[in-house]
Amino acid sequence: MRRSRAFIPTTKESPSDAVLASHIYLARAGFVTQVSAGLYNFLPLGKRVLTKIQNIVNEEMERAGAQEVDLSFVTPSELWEESGRLNKFGKELLRFKDRKNNDFVLGPTHEEMMVNLVKNRITSYKQLPINLYQIKTKFRDEARPRFGLMRGREFLMKDAYSFHATTEDLNREFETMEATYKRILERLDLDFRIVEADSGAIGGSGSKELMVIADSGEDTIAVCSKCEYGANVETATRGIRKDTTELKNYNSVRSVVKRLHFEEEDKIVLFFLRACDELQEVKAVNSLGALDISDLEEAELEKLGLTDESLAPLNLENIEYVFDRALQEAEDLNNIDLSTLNEPLYYDIYSVQEGDACPECSAPMTFTKGIEVGHIFKLGTTYSKALKAEFLNEKGQGTPFEMGTYGMGISRLVASVIEQNHDEKGCVWTKETAPYMVNIMVSNIKDEEQMALGEKLYTQFQDAGVEVVLDDRKDRFGFKMKDAELIGFPYTLIIGKELVNGNVQIFERATCDKEESSVETVYETLIGKIS
RNA sequence: CGGGGUGUAGCUCAGUAUGGUUAGAGUACCUGGUUUGGGACCAGGGGGCCGAAGGUUCGAGUCCUUUCACCCCGACCA
């Protein structure tokens, strides 16, 4: 591409609403522009990066035996009614009517559509397993879109759905997908962790998130300092505490009162934990299978006599009691006797704290922030049952599909790469994500020798299949360098004042080092660096 | 959805407390010239429904009412 012809509108100043590095630099360097809250245009550079990531995903999915499809973006509401998610999804689901007054939604995820596609087409266990995926624009009408591409309303996501005859086979595919995701993120050169996660409202059993490590991440994850263990704090567990004597309030109990919301009703619940622990709200919600959790009003607390900090009484009416599992084995709890209760409910409801022992190897765990770029989980038969999608097993019996689902945020990955790879000058693209690998910068285009060499090398690289830009603009050296640094080409070949001595320079973006090279050898040298 | 903030040139922002020439700067853009190793300089030029609607006034970017959009904190987020 000739820079003089390229549509790459770079700016010196960043848009006033950009906060994250990825948002600032992607906007300043002309990769994306904002259209409206959570909506972005991808310009030529941004589109190239998107395509690169898509290609990697496609290659790895193909390798894992998955097949690509492309389902319609606009989906009829009936399917969502059948699965019961029309109400569950709430306002995030954008609904509208067509001219014939039929109800439709814009797909925020495609479980319903994918099940519907397979239903009555895959009819025998002999046709299983199968893994279908697409890379497709999704729309979720987020209450508060933010962080540029990180939390947009419209975004590009790869979503895969696998169908199996048995849970054993689902487990096998789940592992294959985990390995596939690992390969993808490794190829993208990202620092990441695969962590245990909450399954959320979609339902299902096993669930893992792929977290790109970054301070700007919206999730907090607990990771082991020694082994591979990592988990979202929403679900993280810990090993046995050794130095309990050091823990303040280890042998006393505290209570936390919350309101749990269920589909039909609300319940007031008292949660009991060791006084040194905090309640983990997601675990609390899951303990009784609720939909949501909230605090009580002051007046309500007063009415129940739960205003002071002391332990709540154990005999209130119309209130559920849930105890943390750690209390089950507790011997001495400062004379509080829980054995008077009949059949107390014990669940894992504590929140892991920094420094707690890893459940796998007992080494201390640390907290870090992560960007959720992927989420894989085992759905089981939740959707196949709801949508009556069945196949015939060996005995000729109708059986709902065992399903798995595997999502990966493509546009979010673009932003993640920059969150991890940038400096105060701009973007630093990795080899697999760079929109162009080499930028040939002619310092002074009026210098015929410089320009001739630029043209020659440009053709040479193009012929070799290298993605190359020729900066042939009538601008000064400093301006063009700043521009190249902002965009983040991995290598800029500088043809300038050293040419009279037969030399050019190779500027490496990641290190900002300039390396002298002779005109004769520079092509070979650069080819060596990029391959 | 609760709390706060901002809408003026492509972009970043002055101007609004106290209404009054033709609405400004920087940057970007166009023309000519100079310059050519770190976002150059000189001269000239184009570009605005001052978010929208209504009102007060002789007169509104500025005051009043309504409304829309965007951003931040929180709630929410398969």
Side-chain angles (χ1 to χ4, degrees):
Chain A
M1 188 73 213
R2 284 174 191 278
R3 190 67 172 81
S4 60
R5 307 294 314 150
F7 181 44
I8 307 173
T10 58
T11 59
K12 212 167 176 174
E13 283 180 283
S14 49
S16 55
D17 49 28
V19 183
L20 287 195
S22 60
H23 190 190
I24 291 170
Y25 291 133
L26 288 172
R28 277 191 55 203
F31 285 76
V32 297
T33 62
Q34 184 169 357
V35 180
S36 177
L39 305 179
Y40 292 84
N41 288 330
F42 279 78
L43 308 187
L45 286 184
K47 177 63 182 169
R48 286 181 78 93
V49 176
L50 218 42
T51 304
K52 293 218 152 182
I53 295 175
Q54 281 185 66
N55 289 345
I56 292 171
V57 171
N58 276 327
E59 283 168 28
E60 295 300 333
M61 290 302 284
E62 166 82 22
R63 181 191 169 103
Q67 301 172 65
E68 190 177 13
V69 295
D70 197 347
L71 307 192
S72 83
F73 182 35
V74 172
T75 70
S77 297
E78 292 110 68
L79 282 176
W80 290 79
E81 263 167 49
E82 261 184 74
S83 70
R85 284 211 292 183
L86 195 63
N87 294 325
K88 224 173 185 177
F89 231 99
K91 286 184 178 171
E92 270 190 41
L93 196 58
L94 184 65
R95 303 138 206 253
F96 58 95
K97 290 175 186 294
D98 68 3
R99 67 200 297 167
K100 289 182 271 184
N101 219 30
N102 293 325
D103 293 307
F104 288 91
V105 305
L106 281 189
T109 171
H110 279 213
E111 278 81 9
E112 284 82 357
M113 285 287 281
M114 204 61 90
V115 171
N116 192 51
L117 177 71
V118 166
K119 181 180 173 180
N120 295 331
R121 294 193 176 88
I122 300 284
T123 49
S124 157
Y125 73 95
K126 292 175 194 165
Q127 296 167 293
L128 295 173
I130 190 166
N131 187 335
L132 300 174
Y133 78 98
Q134 59 177 346
I135 296 177
K136 185 110 191 148
T137 298
K138 300 282 185 287
F139 192 92
R140 290 180 197 175
D141 201 356
E142 292 274 354
R144 193 181 154 212
R146 62 189 115 170
F147 302 143
L149 295 182
M150 285 297 180
R151 182 168 291 285
R153 290 193 292 171
E154 192 179 297
F155 56 97
L156 193 64
M157 176 161 115
K158 187 232 69 173
D159 47 328
Y161 308 83
S162 67
F163 300 83
H164 309 271
T166 63
T167 50
E168 292 72 42
D169 196 48
L170 167 61
N171 292 340
R172 177 203 50 74
E173 184 70 7
F174 187 81
E175 280 172 29
T176 304
M177 282 296 114
E178 181 176 337
T180 301
Y181 274 32
K182 207 172 162 192
R183 292 178 63 91
I184 292 169
L185 295 185
E186 277 167 0
R187 282 183 66 179
L188 292 173
D189 235 337
L190 288 167
D191 179 17
F192 67 98
R193 281 273 182 149
I194 301 177
V195 304
E196 291 173 13
D198 177 48
S199 309
I202 198 169
S205 51
S207 164
K208 288 188 177 180
E209 288 170 336
L210 284 94
M211 293 286 188
V212 168
I213 306 299
D215 291 337
S216 55
E218 293 185 78
D219 292 277
T220 303
I221 52 180
V223 295
C224 178
S225 53
K226 260 198 186 147
C227 76
E228 290 279 290
Y229 179 81
N232 196 310
V233 288
E234 291 175 353
T235 185
T237 57
R238 66 185 169 214
I240 294 161
R241 291 182 152 178
K242 284 175 185 162
D243 302 319
T244 51
T245 46
E246 285 181 17
L247 280 171
K248 220 179 145 194
N249 299 326
Y250 181 76
N251 280 322
S252 53
V253 181
R254 65 185 295 214
S255 58
V256 181
V257 60
K258 293 281 177 186
R259 184 193 308 280
L260 286 187
H261 304 267
F262 297 85
E263 218 153 312
E264 302 283 305
E265 47 164 3
D266 287 357
K267 277 183 191 165
I268 295 173
V269 184
L270 271 164
F271 294 96
F272 288 79
L273 307 119
R274 281 194 190 272
C276 56
D277 277 329
E278 298 285 330
L279 179 71
Q280 198 344 288
E281 295 201 352
V282 173
K283 288 183 180 179
V285 167
N286 291 343
S287 68
L288 296 184
L291 296 174
D292 202 1
I293 188 167
S294 64
D295 290 323
L296 274 71
E297 302 280 329
E298 280 292 322
E300 282 178 296
L301 290 171
E302 249 168 69
K303 219 169 148 189
L304 292 165
L306 295 173
T307 43
D308 59 358
E309 287 292 302
S310 64
L311 191 67
L314 295 172
N315 55 358
L316 291 170
E317 285 191 14
N318 297 321
I319 287 190
E320 295 270 346
Y321 288 87
V322 173
F323 299 86
D324 186 43
R325 218 163 248 150
L327 299 176
Q328 200 165 10
E329 299 104 40
E331 284 168 14
D332 173 20
L333 288 171
N334 292 355
N335 301 324
I336 294 163
D337 189 7
L338 299 176
S339 62
T340 56
L341 297 156
N342 38 354
E343 294 182 44
L345 297 167
Y346 286 104
Y347 288 102
D348 168 3
I349 52 171
Y350 65 87
S351 193
V352 162
Q353 294 163 34
E354 216 161 358
D356 277 353
C358 168
E360 304 282 335
C361 74
S362 297
M365 293 190 287
T366 56
F367 281 11
T368 177
K369 292 285 181 180
I371 302 165
E372 182 191 344
V373 295
H375 199 164
I376 58 178
F377 42 102
K378 302 170 189 171
L379 284 177
T381 56
T382 316
Y383 290 91
S384 48
K385 269 184 185 159
L387 299 167
K388 298 181 186 65
E390 301 189 335
F391 64 95
L392 291 183
N393 64 15
E394 290 101 319
K395 295 171 190 158
Q397 299 159 325
T399 316
F401 295 107
E402 288 288 335
M403 288 180 62
T405 181
Y406 321 93
M408 183 169 253
I410 306 292
S411 46
R412 188 176 271 187
L413 275 169
V414 174
S416 302
V417 170
I418 295 307
E419 281 304 314
Q420 267 189 6
N421 303 282
H422 68 268
D423 57 22
E424 67 290 343
K425 293 174 175 176
C427 307
V428 182
W429 294 100
T430 58
K431 282 185 184 179
E432 294 257 24
T433 55
Y436 289 94
M437 203 62 203
V438 175
N439 173 42
I440 300 172
M441 199 266 268
V442 177
S443 181
N444 180 4
I445 63 163
K446 283 187 181 167
D447 183 317
E448 285 177 21
E449 268 182 58
Q450 287 186 17
M451 203 55 215
L453 178 62
E455 290 282 359
K456 186 184 142 207
L457 285 166
Y458 178 55
T459 311
Q460 224 172 338
F461 279 115
Q462 274 190 319
D463 290 348
V466 174
E467 292 170 300
V468 60
V469 174
L470 177 66
D471 196 342
D472 55 347
R473 290 174 300 172
K474 184 184 171 296
D475 283 295
R476 293 162 68 95
F477 178 85
F479 177 84
K480 292 206 260 197
M481 279 304 289
K482 284 275 192 278
D483 217 40
E485 284 162 348
L486 177 60
I487 293 168
F489 304 109
Y491 296 98
T492 292
L493 199 168
I494 303 168
I495 301 172
K497 64 178 184 184
E498 283 298 312
L499 184 60
V500 289
N501 304 319
N503 285 333
V504 293
Q505 284 152 312
I506 298 169
F507 173 81
E508 189 179 347
R509 180 63 184 88
T511 58
C512 285
D513 286 338
K514 281 178 195 160
E515 183 188 326
E516 202 84 15
S517 176
S518 82
V519 170
E520 288 75 36
T521 59
V522 67
Y523 175 76
E524 294 301 330
T525 308
L526 247 182
I527 289 286
K529 282 180 187 290
I530 63 181
S531 49

